[in-house]
Amino acid sequence: MNITTDIKYVGVNDHEIDLFEGQYDVPNGMAYNSYVIADYKIAVMDTVDARFGHEWLDNVATATGGKAPDYLVVQHMEPDHSANIDVFMKAYPNATIVSSQKAFAMMKNFFGKEYEDRRIVVAEGDTLPLGKHVLHFVAAPMVHWPEVIVTYDAYDKVLFSADGFGKFGALDVEEDWACEARRYYFGIVGKYGAQVQALLKKAAALDIEKICPLHGPILTQNLGYYLGLYDTWSSYGVETDGIFVAYTSVYGHTKAAVELLVQKLKEKGCPKVSVCDLAREDMAEAVEDAFRYGKLVLATTTYNADIFPFMRTFIEHLVERGYKNRTIALVENGSWAPLAAKVMKGMFEGCKNLTFLEPVIRLTSAMNDLTKDAIEKVSDELCKDYLARQDSTANKNDLKALFNIGYGLYVVTSNDGKKDNGLIVNTVTQVTNTPNRVAVTINKQNYSHHVIKQSGKMNINCLSVDAPFKVFEDFGFRSGRTVDKFEGWEKFRSDNGLVFLPKYINSFMSLTVENYVDLGTHGMFICSVGEARVISDLETMTYTYYQKNVKPKPQTEGKKGYVCKVCGYVYEGDTLPDDIVCPLCKHGAADFEPIK
Amino acid sequence: MKYVCNLCGWEYDEAVGDPENGIAAGTKFEDLPEDFVCPLCGAGKDEFSDAE
């Protein structure tokens, strides 16, 4: 088979192998690819598995028209590619082996020799001229072994990618690429996502028209598709929107719960639900699906105070390969002391960015009403986004959407003629830039609103992420009519005479009111910008950041009632009055939530 | 003290450091920056173990 005029395929198909790499079921066999580049000098890329040495040497001889190759380039030392190195060197005693330093050390270990008198040691950036074709070597450490190099032929624009872009399946069988390439990738290369990313970055700088891997078909068209999948896989991204359910079930009860959950997921709009019986189906396919989807359900039995062995093996495969960035729901069964959920969760300790859903779905030998209740809750949670997107199931009146508008936090300073005043608002936006105008909206109940309406000027101080809760206590929860909010604060003044804060801000601007819009409960001041200073490079504190990192946890322990989400004020009582105004921060009922 | 990269086998020798990448000889492993990676294969600090 000719790949280009000078590049010929000399690999072999293997339909005898029972388990590839000693573990993978390969119902469509395996291909060991090798290539001849016949230029002024002749190079052979890699060898094949030990059992096909003769067939391969015949292929090489045919491809070179009987001429002796000059070079054997060894990109990878795993025996399915390196087994025939010595056989080749005996057949062609004048050939030179080209490989990496680490590869030669491995040859010493595998074969007892390292060909010191017939070799060229290459590293990243080295080249091997063959004539028109010049081979450029690129190091690919830990894709998936440390000695690996990949090779770029600048003349035909071919990347010899070693095991990268490989797949299970011999070349004489037609099958979809992605499925077996994914199973291959996550099984064999999956742990080395970071290293594959590094290699993809180097490959992006090359002009590649064809990819010649050591397994699977040569890729000649639509390379963006293959590169895109490799990018998603190696960055642990989610490839397909959907949910993967992996289970073990000894007598069928756990399986019944899984079936009910799967039915609910489909009813609630999940576009794709993949299900796997870990004991009876291909483990490598289960691993592949766990990485393909973004949501995982694990269902198993407590067994020997641990979990059912196939589930243990499955989770070990995931953790070993760096499982991360996904959502996991747990289903456990236990006839006397259920432990499975705790054990499963514990196995993922150390994994980054995994979200475990509550509640755990529990069976006590068989499903009961509590199990079904939990299945309903978990399927709602897993399908939250599908439900929200579907017209028939979406909550179209979910005003919590308003809380997703983002804000910074600002101390607005003013002066009533006698003393300085300040308050905290999030409602500051630039509205135009020719000229620059900023809109500041203040609750009419705040003294500052009255002051600014009369004086027509204010400073806005942008709080940075280092501002402590004290800033909010001093400027946010008290009235400036009665209290000196600046007590204990050093005051700096801008040209307009108003205060700017000595710290905890990254910038401030002096604003002059041009227009006022009466909004009923609030007044919006539309202002021009005068003096403007940048004080530091720290990020502006967002409202979200404040909620997560600055606001102390409210003292709700043992209390019955509601808590203000803005400032932590606790309202004790059975029902929250609709017209309640938080005495500390003036926010309304919408910002209160029940104490759990 | 020596530390080895679990992924590819590269050794970090505290006495030698990694001068090519700006790590002076004598730098203790705990004092290596958080974003230090194995110069051979890019593995992070968390993939290193005691070599002794």
Side-chain angles (χ1 to χ4, degrees):
Chain A
M1 187 214 305
N2 271 40
I3 293 156
T4 65
T5 317
D6 299 333
I7 302 180
K8 297 171 215 278
Y9 180 79
V10 292
V12 300
N13 288 321
D14 181 0
H15 286 287
E16 304 161 1
I17 188 163
D18 58 346
L19 295 172
F20 176 69
E21 217 195 37
Q23 56 180 312
Y24 299 102
D25 221 337
V26 282
N28 286 333
M30 205 61 199
Y32 310 108
N33 297 342
S34 172
Y35 308 90
V36 161
I37 309 172
D39 197 337
Y40 181 66
K41 299 266 187 178
I42 301 171
V44 179
M45 304 298 291
D46 297 291
T47 83
V48 297
D49 187 88
R51 291 169 291 118
F52 298 90
H54 290 298
E55 190 184 326
W56 172 67
L57 281 175
D58 284 352
N59 291 348
V60 170
T62 307
T64 66
K67 281 197 264 185
D70 301 283
Y71 301 109
L72 173 66
V73 177
V74 173
Q75 301 188 109
H76 182 26
M77 278 303 294
E78 195 165 8
D80 57 331
H81 307 295
S82 68
N84 297 293
I85 289 175
D86 203 46
V87 155
F88 177 92
M89 296 308 279
K90 288 197 165 81
Y92 299 109
N94 294 320
T96 303
I97 306 189
V98 179
S99 197
S100 66
Q101 185 79 60
K102 275 201 155 76
F104 286 112
M106 286 185 180
M107 279 180 227
K108 185 91 205 250
N109 290 334
F110 275 109
F111 313 124
K113 27 177 118 149
E114 44 181 329
Y115 309 96
E116 298 94 325
D117 52 341
R118 291 186 288 163
R119 76 187 196 189
I120 298 175
V121 178
V122 295
E124 170 92 18
D126 287 342
T127 58
L128 182 73
L130 303 176
K132 299 193 298 291
H133 300 262
V134 177
L135 302 184
H136 298 253
F137 299 108
V138 176
M142 299 323 295
V143 185
H144 58 123
W145 278 26
E147 84 295 358
V148 173
I149 53 174
V150 298
T151 311
Y152 175 66
D153 166 30
Y155 182 76
D156 275 333
K157 302 196 172 59
V158 173
L159 177 69
F160 296 92
S161 56
D163 272 344
F165 301 98
K167 70 180 272 295
F168 298 125
L171 295 194
D172 54 4
V173 180
E174 273 288 328
E175 67 177 353
D176 170 63
W177 189 86
C179 190
E180 284 294 73
R182 191 187 305 111
R183 188 168 72 105
Y184 171 94
Y185 173 83
F186 283 109
I188 294 177
V189 188
K191 182 177 171 67
Y192 305 109
Q195 287 77 11
V196 172
Q197 282 280 303
L199 180 60
L200 287 175
K201 215 163 149 185
K202 292 187 201 175
L206 301 169
D207 181 13
I208 300 171
E209 284 182 9
K210 293 181 171 59
I211 297 176
C212 291
L214 289 176
H215 300 289
I218 291 104
L219 309 175
T220 57
Q221 286 178 338
N222 209 1
L223 295 190
Y225 168 74
Y226 306 103
L227 290 162
L229 282 178
Y230 257 69
D231 186 38
T232 303
W233 297 342
S234 59
S235 56
Y236 297 93
V238 173
E239 181 190 338
T240 305
D241 193 8
I243 301 172
F244 177 53
V245 181
Y247 74 94
T248 65
S249 185
V250 185
Y251 295 109
H253 297 106
T254 308
K255 184 177 178 184
V258 165
E259 283 171 342
L260 178 59
L261 175 64
V262 168
Q263 181 200 314
K264 295 281 173 185
L265 295 176
K266 289 182 178 164
E267 279 168 12
K268 292 174 187 182
C270 180
K272 186 100 178 40
V273 183
S274 176
V275 188
C276 177
D277 175 348
L278 293 174
R280 296 174 177 81
E281 297 177 46
D282 187 61
M283 183 60 72
E285 276 203 18
V287 171
E288 166 196 348
D289 271 2
F291 280 98
R292 179 180 187 174
Y293 299 99
K295 300 172 192 174
L296 179 66
V297 178
L298 299 174
T300 197
T301 326
T302 309
Y303 188 82
N304 285 340
D306 197 272
I307 55 178
F308 205 64
F310 296 99
M311 179 59 80
R312 174 161 278 279
T313 304
F314 175 60
I315 297 177
E316 281 170 0
H317 284 317
L318 299 187
V319 173
E320 214 172 86
R321 286 159 177 77
Y323 203 62
K324 55 172 76 111
N325 303 343
R326 279 153 175 82
T327 299
I328 303 179
L330 302 172
V331 180
E332 71 173 358
N333 195 348
S335 287
W336 55 92
L339 275 177
K342 181 168 175 216
V343 171
M344 285 196 279
K345 194 166 177 191
M347 288 180 75
F348 286 102
E349 209 182 288
C351 289
K352 302 196 175 101
N353 197 22
L354 289 180
T355 306
F356 286 91
L357 294 183
E358 293 289 331
V360 165
I361 298 168
R362 175 182 289 178
L363 291 90
T364 314
S365 303
M367 267 203 290
N368 54 39
D369 286 336
L370 290 174
T371 321
K372 293 184 186 158
D373 192 55
I375 286 177
E376 204 63 54
K377 290 196 169 82
V378 170
S379 56
D380 276 340
E381 195 54 36
L382 283 169
C383 294
K384 210 160 44 165
D385 44 349
Y386 312 131
L387 291 167
R389 285 198 279 253
Q390 247 178 194
D391 199 64
S392 52
T393 49
N395 173 3
K396 296 183 183 174
N397 291 304
D398 195 349
L399 293 178
K400 290 205 294 306
L402 286 166
F403 296 148
N404 288 329
I405 299 176
Y407 304 95
L409 289 165
Y410 310 88
V411 172
V412 176
T413 56
S414 51
N415 187 295
D416 64 7
K418 296 194 220 69
K419 76 176 198 303
D420 296 304
N421 194 30
L423 89 162
I424 303 211
V425 295
N426 58 341
T427 41
V428 174
T429 358
Q430 178 174 6
V431 289
T432 56
N433 63 354
T434 41
N436 288 322
R437 285 200 204 86
V438 173
V440 180
T441 306
I442 304 180
N443 191 316
K444 284 185 189 174
Q445 291 182 324
N446 292 122
Y447 181 55
S448 296
H449 172 271
H450 175 71
V451 172
I452 294 168
K453 197 131 188 265
Q454 306 213 299
S455 67
K457 53 182 192 174
M458 70 181 106
N459 279 354
I460 51 171
N461 297 257
C462 308
L463 287 175
S464 43
V465 285
D466 60 340
F469 187 59
K470 183 179 189 308
V471 177
F472 297 85
E473 285 178 308
D474 287 355
F475 294 103
F477 305 151
R478 320 185 282 176
S479 175
R481 190 182 268 284
T482 48
V483 152
D484 174 14
K485 293 198 180 183
F486 293 91
E487 193 186 322
W489 287 86
E490 194 188 351
K491 291 193 273 194
F492 287 89
R493 291 190 189 278
S494 51
D495 288 344
N496 64 0
L498 297 179
V499 172
F500 66 88
L501 295 186
K503 47 189 177 171
Y504 308 131
I505 67 172
N506 57 23
S507 47
F508 78 84
M509 282 158 268
S510 295
L511 305 183
T512 305
V513 180
E514 289 182 348
N515 288 96
Y516 175 79
V517 183
D518 188 329
L519 298 173
T521 53
H522 293 64
M524 178 188 278
F525 299 92
I526 306 203
C527 313
S528 58
V529 181
E531 185 175 353
R533 291 198 223 174
V534 174
I535 311 279
S536 85
D537 284 336
L538 289 177
E539 275 175 38
T540 298
M541 183 184 293
T542 61
Y543 201 8
T544 309
Y545 185 95
Y546 165 75
Q547 296 283 10
K548 268 208 250 187
N549 303 305
V550 180
K551 193 188 81 174
K553 300 287 168 257
Q555 304 303 309
T556 57
E557 195 66 38
K559 299 214 179 105
K560 201 168 171 294
Y562 299 81
V563 59
C564 173
K565 290 185 287 187
V566 175
C567 72
Y569 168 75
V570 174
Y571 172 85
E572 293 187 76
D574 281 330
T575 40
L576 185 74
D578 286 335
D579 58 355
I580 190 174
V581 173
C582 176
L584 286 195
C585 70
K586 315 284 195 303
H587 283 245
D591 287 306
F592 278 78
E593 65 181 6
I595 296 171
K596 294 199 176 75
Chain B
M1 280 274 288
K2 294 191 184 154
Y3 294 80
V4 64
C5 170
N6 295 329
L7 291 200
C8 78
W10 180 78
E11 218 178 56
Y12 176 72
D13 185 346
E14 285 177 337
V16 172
D18 184 17
E20 254 179 51
N21 292 302
I23 310 285
T27 309
K28 291 204 152 305
F29 185 77
E30 313 89 74
D31 296 332
L32 290 170
E34 270 325 292
D35 59 358
F36 171 81
V37 293
C38 170
L40 275 203
C41 77
K45 266 185 101 171
D46 56 344
E47 309 258 24
F48 277 76
S49 330
D50 238 317
E52 264 116 46

